[in-house]
């Protein structure tokens, strides 16, 4: 067994009528971020460093719903959240309600490493960011024109939504500048096992478009959107409220721990049985280097690779390599 890595860029109702050039751009982006992680693992970096690095890069990309591309609350503000966990020690850190921190995932790691706590939110988390000297910017940096438009559309339709669920018009092109699949990719996550057997998971998000101010989703909740132990590392995406109810990430680990399920069996059970259709996707790796990336939504932006040369990049059910 060697290293293995999997990442996601969100699960949801991703339109199959996405034009070919955009699909290719999505696949190229996933390949790019996968390569960053693969290079880290090949050069013997710790799994925690690798998942943090990959998620940081995804946070810096404006087309993902995390960091720079975070979607907006009902008041037009950003409230970012993230979580990181080391499986072998169960050390973890989480943050919510960030408005100025460029890389929420790195602040989550600092919570894990520099505080006696696991989870900091809102003003306390922002104060901690300043104390630690992490990069912060004016909140307006995160408020992109596309996300202003998304919020406007969500408000018009009175929706609180996943970031890529814009309806595709039935008859031809619409005036909607974000329709026809020209929506961003979603919440981001990465799981990995390194050559030393360290398992790690990291997830970062802006949440839902038009979410209430103060809403916290599954991403930073240990055992819901993010979890790792000595058996596996899991990062989930989809409707946070459904993921929290089903304690998705922890249930995958628990089925392995208490029922002796393989990673694939455990993840398939959670995705197919525990969470209503259309609500969840996850990526996971096990201590034996197994990878799985199931979802019960229309699609999930995802990519994975193992040391023995297996690699997969996909959006819908058919795989592209
Ligand atoms: N799970 C995230 C949330 O509910 C959203 C997503 O995965 O796209 O905040």
């Amino acid at each position: 067994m060697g290293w293995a890595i999997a990442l996601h860029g969100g699960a949801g109702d991703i339109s199959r009528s996405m034009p070919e050039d955009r699909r290719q751009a999505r696949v190229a982006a996933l390949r790019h971020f996968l390569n960053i992680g693969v290079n880290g693992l090949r050069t013997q970096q710790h799994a925690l460093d690798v998942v943090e690095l990959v998620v940081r890069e995804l946070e810096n990309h404006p087309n993902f719903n995390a960091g720079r591309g975070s979607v907006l609350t009902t008041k037009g503000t950003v409230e970012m959240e993230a979580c990181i966990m080391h499986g072998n020690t169960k050390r973890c850190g989480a943050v919510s309600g960030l408005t100025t921190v460029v890389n929420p995932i790195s602040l989550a790691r600092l919570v894990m490493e520099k505080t006696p706590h696991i989870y900091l939110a809102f003003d306390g988390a922002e104060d901690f960011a300043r104390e630690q000297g992490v990069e912060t910017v004016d909140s307006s940096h995160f408020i992109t024109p596309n996300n202003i438009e998304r919020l406007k559309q969500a408000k018009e339709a009175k929706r609180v939504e996943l970031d890529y669920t814009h309806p595709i018009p039935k008859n031809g092109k619409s005036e909607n500048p974000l329709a026809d699949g020209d929506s961003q990719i979603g919440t981001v996550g990465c799981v990995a096992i390194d050559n030393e057997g360290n398992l790690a998971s990291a997830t970062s998000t802006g949440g839902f478009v038009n979410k209430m101010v103060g809403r916290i989703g599954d991403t930073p909740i240990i055992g819901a959107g993010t979890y790792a132990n000595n058996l596996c590392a899991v990062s989930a995406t989809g409707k946070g409220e459904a993921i929290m109810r089903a304690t998705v990430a922890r249930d995958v680990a628990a089925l392995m721990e208490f029922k002796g399920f393989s990673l694939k069996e455990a993840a398939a059970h959670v995705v197919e049985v525990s969470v209503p259709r259309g609500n969840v996707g996850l990526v996971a790796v096990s201590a034996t280097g197994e990878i799985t990336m199931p979802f019960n939504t229309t699609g999930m932006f995802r990519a994975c690779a193992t040391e023995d040369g297996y690699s997969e990049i996909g959006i819908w059910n058919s795989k592209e390599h």
Side-chain angles (χ1 to χ4, degrees), residues 29-58:
L30 291 166
R31 182 169 294 118
H32 169 74
F33 293 107
L34 180 65
N35 285 340
I36 290 173
V38 165
N39 287 339
L41 290 164
R42 275 200 187 127
T43 54
Q44 312 303 325
Q45 287 181 42
H46 194 289
L48 262 179
D49 294 330
V50 171
V51 297
E52 181 188 351
L53 175 68
V54 170
V55 169
R56 274 179 74 95
E57 296 285 333
L58 287 157

Side-chain angles (χ1 to χ4, degrees), residues 8 10-11 65 81 162-164 186-188 205-208 211 215-220 236-241 243-244:
H8 69 75
N65 173 20
E81 44 198 19
L162 280 172
D163 32 288
Y164 25 61
T187 288
V188 304
T205 190
F208 274 14
K211 67 181 181 182
R215 181 260 188 187
I216 291 172
D218 60 300
T219 297
T237 169
K239 186 123 199 245
E241 284 69 12
I243 295 170
M244 286 188 273

Side-chain angles (χ1 to χ4, degrees), residues 11 82 89:
T89 57

Side-chain angles (χ1 to χ4, degrees), residues 7 14 18-33 61 63-64 146 150 164 178-186 301-303 313-316 320:
L7 63 89
I14 304 165
M18 183 187 295
E20 183 54 22
D21 55 333
R22 292 201 191 116
R23 187 193 67 77
Q24 277 177 17
R26 297 326 187 224
V27 169
L30 291 166
R31 182 169 294 118
H32 169 74
F33 293 107
H61 192 298
N63 286 351
F64 288 88
N146 273 354
R150 284 189 179 92
Y164 25 61
L178 295 172
D180 300 327
D182 190 18
S183 50
Q184 71 190 134
I185 309 181
F301 296 102
R302 62 195 188 279
I313 297 176
I315 301 176
W316 301 278
E320 301 122 46

